[in-house]
Amino acid sequence: MTVRRLTVEDDPQPATLLLQRFFREEGFTTADATIASNLRAMLTLEHCAVLLADEQGLATGVATVSMDFGIEFGWSAELGDLYVLPEHRGKGIARALIAEAEAWLRGMGAAGYQVTVTPHGADADLRRFYLSLGFAAEGRELLYRTL
């Protein structure tokens, strides 16, 4: 298995298809065309990364990371999306994607990063998975307002 950061020169289709499947499985209503467009835009941004896991030519997992600069931490980030094809779970692909994300973030000077677990992810026991990787709840609550 290999994990690499995609560039604007790469074909975005394998990552796009994985993200579209992920969003459907999570119950998000984001249109496939919006996912494809935003992924292409993300590939052009210096402070964002799209990571793709590949096993013998088959895209098996994807992760997205976006950095932010703030007073409290300086550079920090969010692991926005992490998805592994169900039939390939349990092989260490998610851990490899996270390790690659962390290596990229260290190289970019990030102090840390966060992940959001959706209700669907909580039902799938993702909270326990992230806690086992060293993430910790710090008592903050994420609120969101659509513009």
Side-chain angles (χ1 to χ4, degrees):
M1 175 205 16
T2 61
V3 176
R4 64 186 177 89
R5 180 177 182 223
L6 297 181
T7 69
V8 293
E9 290 82 28
D10 291 311
D11 177 10
Q13 190 67 8
T16 300
L17 292 173
L18 288 170
L19 287 166
Q20 289 168 340
R21 182 171 171 176
F22 171 56
F23 275 58
R24 281 191 301 274
E25 288 178 17
E26 286 280 316
F28 292 112
T29 59
T30 309
D32 284 353
T34 300
I35 294 168
S37 176
N38 287 343
L39 175 68
R40 284 191 305 276
M42 185 176 255
L43 293 175
T44 70
L45 300 172
E46 175 186 359
H47 291 97
C48 292
V50 177
L51 306 167
L52 188 68
D54 181 281
E55 288 188 276
Q56 301 174 345
L58 175 67
T60 56
V62 65
T64 64
V65 185
S66 301
M67 295 184 69
D68 183 42
F69 192 87
I71 298 300
E72 186 176 4
F73 299 111
W75 284 110
S76 63
E78 178 181 9
L79 179 67
D81 306 291
L82 176 64
Y83 180 73
V84 175
L85 290 171
E87 61 272 20
H88 291 273
R89 293 178 184 161
K91 298 179 179 180
I93 296 170
R95 290 184 189 318
L97 285 162
I98 289 171
E100 187 68 22
E102 289 179 354
W104 180 75
L105 287 167
R106 282 187 192 95
M108 295 295 288
Y113 70 112
Q114 65 186 22
V115 63
T116 301
V117 178
T118 65
H120 178 78
D123 290 345
D125 214 10
L126 284 179
R127 185 174 193 283
R128 186 175 57 81
F129 171 73
Y130 286 118
L131 290 171
S132 76
L133 295 175
F135 287 88
E138 59 173 14
R140 297 179 192 213
E141 181 178 0
L142 177 67
L143 304 174
Y144 182 79
R145 181 176 179 182
T146 302
L147 299 177

